[in-house]
Amino acid sequence: MKLQERVFSGMQPTGSLHLGNYLGAMVQWIEMQKTHACIYCVVDLHAITVWQDPKELRDAIRQVTAAYIASGLDPKKSILFNQSQVSAHAELAWIFNCVARLGWLNRMTQFKEKAGKDREAASVGLYAYPNLMAADILAYRATHVPVGEDQKQHLELARDIAQKFNNDFRAQIEALGHADGEFFPQPDPVIMGPATRVMSLRDGTKKMSKSDPSDLSRINLTDDADTIARKIQKAKTDPEPLPSEIAGLAGRPEADNLVGIYAALAGKTKEAALAEFGGQQFSSFKKALAELAVARLAPLGDEIRRMTGDPVEIDRVLADGSARAREIATPIMNEVKDIVGLIRS
Ligand code: AMP
Ligand code: TRP
């Protein structure tokens, strides 16, 4: 790792976490803390771009924090905190509101999806959401951002904002001693992990999602052992036995998804999973998958429940992480203010 490399990522505290979040994001964040200096943020200011019940929001912030720690995130090594406790995020987001162009935000597909038909009724915060995301990353001058496929466009916008800021204030940036004129780095998306797209257990063509009305479509990280096993038994399949090779999964989205989940949980490739189960019926495969999922996920749920029973301890972890985040962001924000021409004390 180069000295100045820094990882930043964020997760919204809305709804309950599920297997897709775990395999698509959490496992990967935890892996990166072995090799990088990492900052992980529970993005509560992003959550309120759509209405949140205040009590549920507070519970969700603590639940996401607990889930990360239960999954292996070490809050002594990595920085784990909630966004609203570090004012640099909101301050830099305002400056980026003045750097980003309306035309850039108008192209954001996630806003169009989330705002739906009645765009006039969406909050201004939902529209400016990608500027806050750019501020999250650049307030720490982070260089690597592990995210899901769906966040690629927002990352491109963060890169555009970094570049326009560097261009607009080149003289001031160089005057402050940044000889290359690069105050903000161009953050790189890191899209990887064992299962970047976990699909619904009821429909292999739809993403597993917290907003799916059917609870049977997903495995929540707080489901108990019986619930996990029952959801796998009820998962949609097709009548054919499992193929022995990857090519045989084509056109069989449910089989593909379950094999992918098995492989990710077992730390194997899909090829290895098929070598094990090729030719077998779903009934025996599902039994093995349920055993594995229960062994991996039930203790996680127990630990999340235990931790959220002690909110004082979770709040202490978040306060500690926020203080460490502030130490990095404050000097960067001071330089930003000097560059832009604001007076600070
Ligand atoms: P969200 O729950 O949409 O706020 O996403 C939080 C994180 O989990 C993001 O990094 C997503 O890319 C990831 N994620 C959400 N759902 C899935 C899924 N079904 N499969 C893989 N990753 C997911
Ligand atoms: N928008 C991201 C999501 O919905 C969450 C997020 C907010 C984020 N700020 C970030 C991700 C900064 C990476 C870096 O998943």
Side-chain angles (χ1 to χ4, degrees):
M1 173 176 78
K2 277 186 271 154
L3 203 62
Q4 65 275 37
E5 279 193 1
R6 184 175 279 147
V7 171
F8 184 98
S9 197
M11 170 116 45
Q12 295 199 54
T14 47
S16 68
L17 293 166
H18 54 73
L19 185 64
N21 297 129
Y22 180 67
L23 296 175
M26 306 175 82
V27 167
Q28 187 185 328
W29 287 16
I30 287 155
E31 197 55 31
M32 290 191 94
Q33 80 179 346
K34 292 185 188 152
T35 49
H36 287 76
C38 298
I39 305 176
Y40 295 130
C41 183
V42 185
V43 290
D44 47 10
L45 295 175
H46 277 107
I48 59 169
T49 56
V50 295
W51 161 259
Q52 303 295 329
D53 176 89
K55 181 180 180 306
E56 282 173 20
L57 176 62
R58 219 166 357 247
D59 287 346
I61 295 168
R62 292 185 181 126
Q63 202 204 56
V64 172
T65 307
Y68 270 105
I69 298 172
S71 312
L73 193 149
D74 178 356
K76 290 204 179 66
K77 189 158 184 266
S78 300
I79 296 180
L80 178 60
F81 74 109
N82 61 310
Q83 190 182 27
S84 59
Q85 289 207 57
V86 180
S87 60
H89 294 252
E91 289 184 24
L92 189 57
W94 180 260
I95 291 176
F96 287 170
N97 282 345
C98 305
V99 173
R101 307 288 93 184
L102 280 179
W104 300 359
L105 288 176
N106 284 338
R107 285 195 286 274
M108 296 294 116
T109 54
Q110 187 174 299
F111 173 75
K112 291 179 199 166
E113 279 163 26
K114 286 201 180 173
K117 280 200 196 80
D118 194 2
R119 218 175 278 182
E120 300 276 309
S123 75
V124 175
L126 189 66
Y127 185 72
Y129 174 119
N131 294 345
L132 177 60
M133 179 164 161
D136 296 338
I137 299 162
L138 295 172
Y140 304 91
R141 287 213 187 102
T143 51
H144 292 76
V145 185
V147 279
E149 194 68 40
D150 56 339
Q151 296 300 314
K152 251 172 112 169
Q153 197 186 31
H154 289 160
L155 248 292
E156 302 265 311
L157 186 88
R159 294 168 67 91
D160 289 343
I161 289 176
Q163 192 174 25
K164 182 159 163 53
F165 183 94
N166 290 344
N167 283 336
D168 286 357
F169 298 103
R170 183 159 306 275
Q172 292 82 354
I173 289 169
E174 284 174 0
L176 273 181
H178 301 277
D180 55 0
E182 267 250 323
F183 183 73
F184 286 124
Q186 296 269 298
D188 283 320
V190 182
I191 297 170
M192 51 170 207
T196 46
R197 257 175 98 77
V198 177
M199 309 311 278
S200 157
L201 299 181
R202 306 299 295 169
D203 177 351
T205 63
K206 272 188 4 202
K207 233 174 86 162
M208 184 178 285
S209 155
K210 56 190 154 205
S211 54
D212 194 314
S214 165
D215 195 54
L216 284 176
S217 70
R218 65 183 160 260
I219 296 176
N220 301 303
L221 295 187
T222 47
D223 284 344
D224 60 23
D226 287 350
T227 311
I228 296 170
R230 189 169 46 86
K231 284 179 176 175
I232 290 173
Q233 291 313 328
K234 287 192 182 259
K236 188 177 168 198
T237 50
D238 57 44
E240 303 296 318
L242 282 161
S244 315
E245 302 200 349
I246 295 281
L249 291 171
R252 299 178 65 186
E254 283 82 16
D256 191 12
N257 187 40
L258 293 180
V259 170
I261 292 172
Y262 181 89
L265 286 174
K268 292 181 179 171
T269 60
K270 282 205 241 182
E271 283 85 350
L274 289 179
E276 206 179 332
F277 293 101
Q280 296 191 28
Q281 297 298 327
F282 271 105
S283 51
S284 56
F285 171 67
K286 276 183 164 182
K287 224 167 135 195
L289 176 58
E291 268 171 33
L292 177 62
V294 166
R296 275 290 295 275
L297 302 175
L300 199 63
D302 290 342
E303 184 60 10
I304 295 171
R305 268 186 296 279
R306 190 191 66 73
M307 291 186 67
T308 47
D310 185 0
V312 174
E313 174 56 17
I314 294 181
D315 293 1
R316 196 198 56 73
V317 168
L318 291 172
D320 175 67
S322 301
R324 286 159 61 211
R326 248 178 252 127
E327 271 175 38
I328 301 171
T330 304
I332 295 175
M333 262 328 280
N334 283 342
E335 274 198 283
V336 168
K337 289 177 185 172
D338 292 344
I339 289 167
V340 173
L342 306 172
I343 293 175
R344 64 181 173 90
S345 46

